[in-house]
Amino acid sequence: MPFDLNALRAQFPALVSRKIPKHTLFFDGPSGSKVPQRVVNAMVDYLENFSANFGGHFYCSAQTHDIVSHARMAAATLLNAPHSDNIVFGANMTSLTFTLSRAIAQQWQPGDEVIVTQADHYANVSPWQQMAQERGATVHKAPLDLTTAGVDVAQILSLITPRTRLIAVTAAANVTGTITPLDEIISAAKAVGAQVYVDAVHCVPHRLLDVTALGCDYLVCSNYKFFGPHLGIAYIANPWLESLTPSRISPAPNHGPSRFEMGTQSFEALAGLSASIDYLAQWGESHVSLRKQLEQSFDCYATHEAKLTCHFLERLAALDGVTLYGIKDSNMARRTPTFALSFDSCNASELASALGQRQICTGSGHFYAPDVIDVIGLSQKGGVLRIGCMHYNTLEEISQLFDVLELLLRTR
């Protein structure tokens, strides 16, 4: 199917809802995307017709088992994992990372070293700091790249030693949208036997990742960031899937991904996950594999997001008294369509509030990446105004946003 933006937008209840003020503009995608109708339908269908737990000798229990299996296969395809067993589910990325960090850190010794970065959301910082403190390991924090407001690869490489046990790094900075070139980091980590834990929460909605090609040990993301329900997803590479010893109750399964999944999963969310991946693949040719459909569809999304980015930057260039942090051009190999801004005449919170009163949804603050805000000197000024585009946004919406911004800034 040829990419059709109008047909795509019609799939989102929030974009046509009568319950939301008319002409609402959604530029808060980095905080959580809108959800297409098929995802809602899949979740409701499960709850209305099949809600049951594992282990029953009856139809609804069997359906629940199938829904979980299908969700693992769909997530494995999205990330190009070797097998569906490499996929683990949890409440969210943060919970999964705390759970996995306890298992990963069990073999750390005093004097071992861990590398985190100033560019990361603290869900990929705090768990490692806490486990390092427990195990007597040393944490090194790689400084922010001041040019890109993202990960400084050279600084990470300079910190790697034979004692490095793990590198925790984002695939794309959630404040500024700067994409991390992961290949060099992963290659250097492998050279000293270190593991790499990738936070892909911000990246997955905008770029089709391939964990097999990357060679990372772990990768985590959240479905609510890519058109699905609140659900965390983790990829665990084969060497660690069985060798780690996760916290678990003794009667629970101790083989495969279930070892890491504490308690009953949100089966309705897993039904929604599969539907969200089907949604993402919809612009691919029907006769090819799901992975190929995703590749073809993400090419469409990338082309559209590049147009959005170009238009955003063109309109931004006409504004006085504004600073953009991160990549300054529209090279989509280096950035997502997420923009971190500060303004000479007002702080981010004031502007976000004024935009919100006009039904324009944005975000302000540090977005759980306080080091970024500290380094760029905005901690005392309310952080940045973050404007994030998703592939359901339009060029016209960006024009409307800037028309309002220009009006607001003229009155301050």
Side-chain angles (χ1 to χ4, degrees):
M1 293 175 59
F3 181 74
D4 184 335
L5 182 58
N6 289 330
L8 181 148
R9 286 174 59 84
Q11 298 175 54
F12 286 84
L15 301 184
V16 297
S17 174
R18 294 180 181 177
K19 296 183 179 181
I20 294 173
K22 195 174 181 181
H23 306 306
T24 297
L25 305 182
F26 296 103
F27 290 106
D28 59 334
S31 294
S33 66
K34 298 306 170 193
V35 178
Q37 187 67 54
R38 72 176 76 193
V39 173
V40 177
N41 291 346
M43 297 176 70
V44 170
D45 182 59
Y46 174 77
L47 289 171
E48 285 185 340
N49 297 296
F50 308 115
S51 186
N53 215 325
F54 277 179
H57 299 285
F58 53 91
Y59 179 75
C60 293
S61 184
Q63 281 293 109
T64 296
H65 186 276
D66 289 346
I67 283 168
V68 175
S69 297
H70 185 70
R72 282 199 211 283
M73 288 187 289
T77 302
L78 177 69
L79 300 178
N80 204 32
H83 193 276
S84 62
D85 279 356
N86 295 104
I87 300 298
V88 170
F89 299 123
N92 47 60
M93 176 271 179
T94 303
S95 297
L96 278 170
T97 301
F98 270 105
T99 296
L100 291 173
S101 69
R102 298 201 65 81
I104 293 167
Q106 285 184 16
Q107 303 304 314
W108 293 355
Q109 302 292 329
D112 286 346
E113 299 173 353
V114 179
I115 300 172
V116 298
T117 89
Q118 287 187 331
D120 271 73
H121 188 294
Y122 258 49
N124 204 27
V125 176
S126 293
W128 310 114
Q129 290 176 325
Q130 292 176 25
M131 290 314 305
Q133 184 176 15
E134 283 189 26
R135 306 300 300 178
T138 300
V139 176
H140 300 288
K141 186 179 287 184
L144 190 74
D145 185 317
L146 297 178
T147 302
T148 68
V151 171
D152 191 324
V153 175
Q155 290 285 350
I156 289 179
L157 299 180
S158 72
L159 293 171
I160 297 174
T161 75
R163 296 304 303 269
T164 302
R165 296 294 172 258
L166 181 129
I167 301 171
V169 61
T170 185
N174 73 306
V175 173
T176 61
T178 302
I179 290 175
T180 306
L182 293 169
D183 291 347
E184 195 172 359
I185 296 171
I186 294 170
S187 178
K190 287 182 176 294
V192 298
Q195 298 176 342
V196 179
Y197 193 98
V198 177
D199 172 4
V201 171
H202 183 73
C203 192
V204 167
H206 306 288
R207 174 174 286 193
L208 187 62
L209 296 176
D210 185 336
V211 293
T212 299
L214 281 174
C216 57
D217 300 276
Y218 313 92
L219 184 141
V220 284
C221 57
S222 292
N223 194 198
Y224 78 99
K225 303 284 187 169
F226 60 96
F227 318 105
H230 291 88
L231 174 73
I233 305 160
Y235 159 76
I236 302 178
N238 285 324
W240 319 119
L241 188 65
E242 299 295 343
S243 64
L244 294 179
T245 305
S247 300
R248 47 179 289 278
I249 60 174
S250 57
N254 195 26
H255 176 72
S258 297
R259 305 174 69 234
F260 300 90
E261 295 171 344
M262 292 187 286
T264 302
Q265 295 299 296
S266 175
F267 301 128
E268 61 272 23
L270 295 175
L273 166 64
S274 296
S276 71
I277 294 172
D278 288 341
Y279 160 82
L280 285 170
Q282 69 180 295
W283 307 107
E285 297 170 298
S286 60
H287 63 275
V288 300
S289 68
L290 177 59
R291 178 68 187 186
K292 188 64 177 177
Q293 290 176 20
L294 286 165
E295 290 172 358
Q296 294 170 344
S297 296
F298 268 81
D299 285 344
C300 297
Y301 304 141
T303 298
H304 178 60
E305 289 183 356
K307 293 177 183 177
L308 296 175
T309 299
C310 286
H311 187 48
F312 187 98
L313 294 175
E314 287 170 1
R315 290 296 303 263
L316 184 67
L319 283 184
D320 293 325
V322 57
T323 300
L324 170 66
Y325 301 91
I327 302 297
K328 303 295 192 293
D329 58 48
S330 59
N331 184 348
M332 302 309 286
R334 303 181 65 208
R335 65 165 308 128
T336 69
T338 298
F339 309 92
L341 308 173
S342 68
F343 298 82
D344 294 345
S345 59
C346 56
N347 68 40
S349 179
E350 292 172 345
L351 196 51
S353 177
L355 289 169
Q357 291 169 17
R358 292 159 177 80
Q359 286 73 57
I360 300 176
C361 308
T362 62
S364 64
H366 57 62
F367 308 101
Y368 292 90
D371 291 340
V372 175
I373 305 306
D374 286 344
V375 172
I376 63 178
L378 294 178
S379 293
Q380 305 304 314
K381 300 180 180 180
V384 296
L385 178 75
R386 186 177 68 178
I387 301 172
C389 297
M390 306 298 282
H391 62 234
Y392 49 63
N393 287 118
T394 70
L395 297 175
E396 292 75 17
E397 288 180 327
I398 291 174
S399 292
Q400 293 171 41
L401 163 70
F402 274 96
D403 289 345
V404 173
L405 271 177
E406 289 170 356
L407 177 64
L408 289 173
L409 293 175
R410 279 200 300 270
T411 61
R412 296 185 183 293

